[in-house]
């Protein structure tokens, strides 16, 4: 590990194979925590390359709990976090809308790290389990079109590294790659990242790890979700080709709203916001979800344009399909817990 750290400190980028070796070393109990911290810091100062990010992601996925699923067309919509916007749980709310529009969603998420309420926190408040087993993930995808993967549950070897990350108190390569480490074999994906300078890099990584189609975006105001507050910067990756473009919510029939209008709160408050959106109550929260879900449906190739995607997302809500799916996942969780208690 020290050899790699010295190389990075000298300004050299690691090859794909060197980064694989360094990542595997991070999982070794023989490597001191301080050496891992020094390596991550050096990498962050140098700036991470596509090769380094792709190698790290692939090793993490190889070391994750393997989750084979029956469907060959599975989608995830997830932001990296870290944008400091204190917004409500946009991608989690969107996931139910996308499922209601017919997509199979394997939603990868975690508890709050930089925001007040992470996806796992709000799911728990809704009554949804966080420890679904691989066969339950597949069953949920078939029954409800959606399953949730709690990052610490599917990445058990990351526990030690998480402690080291927290001790550093500064962003590292891990702050960018959470959404890319979903252990389900996804066909397409929507990834939000607060760093606009990494859009092309992450689009390239998504192609390298097998996504046929994806969108990576940075929202107006530096959000890791698309925003109503101005121009959003996106990169479409389709079969390895990348197309950067900008999108303003008003271009797809949605109204401007400042970032303050979509602030969230604790898990209870965010669960209430989520339910209000799925009930179709007009608000900037609803419009933000329509925008992001519309982009998601376009990223998945389900809609021919983002505007058409917004229309399909609105239909998912208006028909009650999105809310019905959310309730079905809650019932599945409750029945599962009841069975476990009586086992």
């Amino acid at each position: 590990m020290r050899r790699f750290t010295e190389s990075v400190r000298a300004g050299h980028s690691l090859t794909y194979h060197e980064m694989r070796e360094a990542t595997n070393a991070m999982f070794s109990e023989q490597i001191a925590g301080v050496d891992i911290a020094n390596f991550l810091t050096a990498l962050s100062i140098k700036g991470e390359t596509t090769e380094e990010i792709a190698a790290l992601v692939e090793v993490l996925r190889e070391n994750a709990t393997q989750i084979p699923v029956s469907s060959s067309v599975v989608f995830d919509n997830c932001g990296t976090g870290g944008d400091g916007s204190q917004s409500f749980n946009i991608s989690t709310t969107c996931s139910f809308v996308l499922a209601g529009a017919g997509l199979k969603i394997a939603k990868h998420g975690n508890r709050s790290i930089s925001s007040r309420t992470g996806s796992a926190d709000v799911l728990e408040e809704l009554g949804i389990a966080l420890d679904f087993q691989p066969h339950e993930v597949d069953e949920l995808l078939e029954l409800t079109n959606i399953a949730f993967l709690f990052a610490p549950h599917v990445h058990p070897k990351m526990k030690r590294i998480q402690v080291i990350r927290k001790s550093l108190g500064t962003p590292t390569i891990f702050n960018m790659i959470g959404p890319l480490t979903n252990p389900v074999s996804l066909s397409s994906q929507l990834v939000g990242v607060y760093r606009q300078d990494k859009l092309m890099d992450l689009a390239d990584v998504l192609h390298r790890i097998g996504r046929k189609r994806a969108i990576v975006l940075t929202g107006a105001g530096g959000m890791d979700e698309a925003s109503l507050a101005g121009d959003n910067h996106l990169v479409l990756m389709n079969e390895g080709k990348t197309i950067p473009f900008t999108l303003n919510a008003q271009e797809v029939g949605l109204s401007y709203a400042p970032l303050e209008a979509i602030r969230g709160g604790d898990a209870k408050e965010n669960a209430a916001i989520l339910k209000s959106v799925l009930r179709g109550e007009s608000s900037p929260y609803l419009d933000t979800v329509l925008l992001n879900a519309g982009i998601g449906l376009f990223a998945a190739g389900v809609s021919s344009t983002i505007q058409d995607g917004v229309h399909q997302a609105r239909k998912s809500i208006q028909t009650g399909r999105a809310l019905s799916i959310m309730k079905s996942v809650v019932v599945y969780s409750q029945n599962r817990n009841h069975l476990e208690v009586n086992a």
Side-chain angles (χ1 to χ4, degrees), residues 214-235:
I215 283 180
V216 189
L217 67 82
T218 300
M223 284 189 66
D224 69 335
E225 312 276 0
S227 160
L228 306 172
D231 288 339
N232 301 285
H233 297 269
L234 305 88
V235 174

Side-chain angles (χ1 to χ4, degrees), residues 27-49:
F27 287 129
S28 169
E29 292 296 328
Q30 277 70 53
I31 302 296
V34 67
D35 290 333
I36 296 171
N38 289 339
F39 173 70
L40 293 175
T41 302
L43 203 59
S44 180
I45 292 169
K46 176 188 72 67
E48 304 86 348
T49 65

Side-chain angles (χ1 to χ4, degrees), residues 2-59:
R2 289 176 185 173
R3 171 170 55 92
F4 293 128
T5 301
E6 290 308 312
S7 179
V8 170
R9 279 176 175 163
H12 304 300
S13 293
L14 301 183
T15 66
Y16 173 80
H17 295 291
E18 286 173 333
M19 189 63 185
R20 280 189 62 93
E21 190 179 338
T23 305
N24 279 311
M26 280 193 269
F27 287 129
S28 169
E29 292 296 328
Q30 277 70 53
I31 302 296
V34 67
D35 290 333
I36 296 171
N38 289 339
F39 173 70
L40 293 175
T41 302
L43 203 59
S44 180
I45 292 169
K46 176 188 72 67
E48 304 86 348
T49 65
T50 301
E51 294 276 300
E52 290 163 344
I53 297 168
L56 176 69
V57 167
E58 295 201 344
V59 171

Side-chain angles (χ1 to χ4, degrees), residues 204-222:
D204 289 340
V205 173
L206 284 162
H207 173 60
R208 285 192 63 146
I209 63 175
R211 308 293 186 260
K212 294 181 177 65
R213 188 175 162 96
I215 283 180
V216 189
L217 67 82
T218 300

Side-chain angles (χ1 to χ4, degrees), residues 107-172:
K107 181 78 172 73
H108 189 256
N110 208 337
R111 291 198 184 277
S112 169
I113 296 174
S114 57
S115 61
R116 283 185 67 183
T117 309
S119 63
D121 302 304
V122 79
L123 290 171
E124 202 168 50
E125 179 64 30
L126 291 169
I128 293 172
L130 300 180
D131 59 346
F132 293 120
Q133 299 303 308
H135 74 277
E136 292 175 314
V137 169
D138 194 33
E139 189 171 55
L140 273 166
L141 284 173
E142 296 306 307
L143 291 173
T144 69
N145 277 356
I146 191 166
F148 294 96
L149 311 174
F150 182 41
H153 183 62
V154 296
H155 297 285
K157 292 186 180 179
M158 279 291 294
K159 192 171 183 180
R160 180 174 178 237
I161 294 172
Q162 289 294 81
V163 173
I164 294 166
R165 285 179 63 197
K166 284 188 177 180
S167 73
L168 282 172
T170 56
T172 70

